[in-house]
Amino acid sequence: MNTVKILLVEDHMVVRNGIKLLLESQGEFKVIGEASGGTEALSQLADGVVPDIVLTDVSMEVMDGMELLKNIRQKYPFVKVVILSMLSQICYVVEGFKNGLSGYLLKNIDYNELLFGLKHVAEGGRYISEEISIALLEQVSSDRLCIDNGANIILELDLNERELEVLELIADGFTNLEIADKIFLSKRTVEGYRQNLLDKTKVKNTAELVKYAFQHGLLKK
């Protein structure tokens, strides 16, 4: 297989550098461009950077990974897009593949699965992390498909990726300050996301918010 050219889109520099080092330690991959968000990635594509695969996170400021995917499919249909994210909700996987995604990988996978998935996509296939595949099978078998409930609620409430990421951490019991540290935002920004969640779901407090999220399929039980 020829060298696979990668445009790496990740807003956390430490994470981006780690992924780059891993990929370039393998002879099959070359990172030909780096971007901290979707807007910067599109600018590089417009300037003539021609990757085989855009490897992108989902939750980024200004333009997230899903919006970047839609733009790439419209303007550069020959470029494959693979998401590498901490977000494991089936909703994102379904939305991504509906919009032409080639792969969805979780950041907790080992490097062998990351490399295998990217090679598979480069050769024309599609790839989903093993953990997501198992979760999808479990949801199908229990008749709790996210596309039937949680995805509809997400669309209805107009929840974005950051709000859902904050919601998961709230449900795990983290404080605003702890959440801010985990996802590299200010405490005030996290407080804003928490208030947005309360306003959109029309609940009075955090306990009711978490209860609402579980009842409507926004969080895993």
Side-chain angles (χ1 to χ4, degrees):
M1 183 176 66
N2 295 328
T3 301
V4 179
K5 294 174 290 184
I6 304 286
L7 172 56
L8 182 56
V9 189
E10 165 64 56
D11 58 352
H12 298 148
M13 185 177 293
V14 172
V15 177
R16 190 169 72 241
N17 287 343
I19 297 170
K20 179 181 179 181
L21 285 171
L22 170 61
L23 292 177
E24 294 201 330
S25 70
Q26 308 295 311
E28 301 99 325
F29 299 98
K30 181 173 180 58
V31 176
I32 63 170
E34 299 177 55
S36 60
T39 302
E40 186 181 347
L42 288 176
S43 178
Q44 291 194 31
L45 290 168
D47 287 343
V49 174
V50 185
D52 299 303
I53 296 174
V54 172
L55 180 62
T56 179
D57 196 358
V58 174
S59 297
M60 299 178 292
E61 299 294 335
V62 183
M63 181 185 293
D64 63 33
M66 288 298 178
E67 191 63 29
L68 173 60
L69 166 65
K70 294 173 186 176
N71 274 275
I72 290 175
R73 297 312 299 160
Q74 290 175 357
K75 299 175 183 178
Y76 311 98
F78 54 89
V79 176
K80 300 176 177 66
V81 179
V82 174
I83 283 176
L84 178 63
S85 175
M86 294 185 298
L87 301 177
S88 60
Q89 288 96 336
I90 300 301
C91 306
Y92 291 126
V93 182
V94 172
E95 180 185 354
F97 281 98
K98 283 175 65 177
N99 286 292
L101 190 67
S102 293
Y104 198 112
L105 305 168
L106 296 181
K107 286 183 176 178
N108 63 357
I109 61 175
D110 64 36
Y111 73 95
N112 287 319
E113 186 176 1
L114 172 62
L115 299 175
F116 176 85
L118 290 174
K119 289 176 186 177
H120 187 68
V121 168
E123 293 168 354
R126 290 185 173 187
Y127 190 83
I128 302 176
S129 285
E130 180 181 355
E131 181 178 329
I132 297 177
S133 300
I134 293 171
L136 181 58
L137 287 172
E138 289 175 347
Q139 290 201 6
V140 170
S141 64
S142 62
D143 197 28
R144 291 190 296 106
L145 269 176
C146 181
I147 190 172
D148 292 332
N149 44 53
N152 291 332
I153 296 296
I154 289 171
L155 293 173
E156 181 182 332
L157 299 180
D158 191 27
L159 299 178
N160 60 44
E161 287 84 0
R162 273 296 191 201
E163 288 168 342
L164 286 168
E165 188 174 12
V166 169
L167 177 59
E168 280 199 345
L169 292 169
I170 289 172
D172 287 337
F174 292 104
T175 65
N176 289 340
L177 182 58
E178 290 170 335
I179 293 171
D181 289 340
K182 279 184 170 292
I183 58 179
F184 306 99
L185 296 175
S186 70
K187 182 173 178 285
R188 179 172 295 182
T189 299
V190 173
E191 289 170 349
Y193 281 128
R194 184 187 289 261
Q195 189 58 52
N196 287 346
L197 289 164
L198 294 173
D199 292 341
K200 289 181 178 182
T201 56
K202 295 181 173 60
V203 298
K204 297 178 181 178
N205 53 49
T206 299
E208 289 186 10
L209 173 63
V210 173
K211 180 179 178 182
Y212 179 99
F214 277 120
Q215 288 178 337
H216 291 82
L218 300 178
L219 294 169
K220 294 179 180 180
K221 295 184 178 180

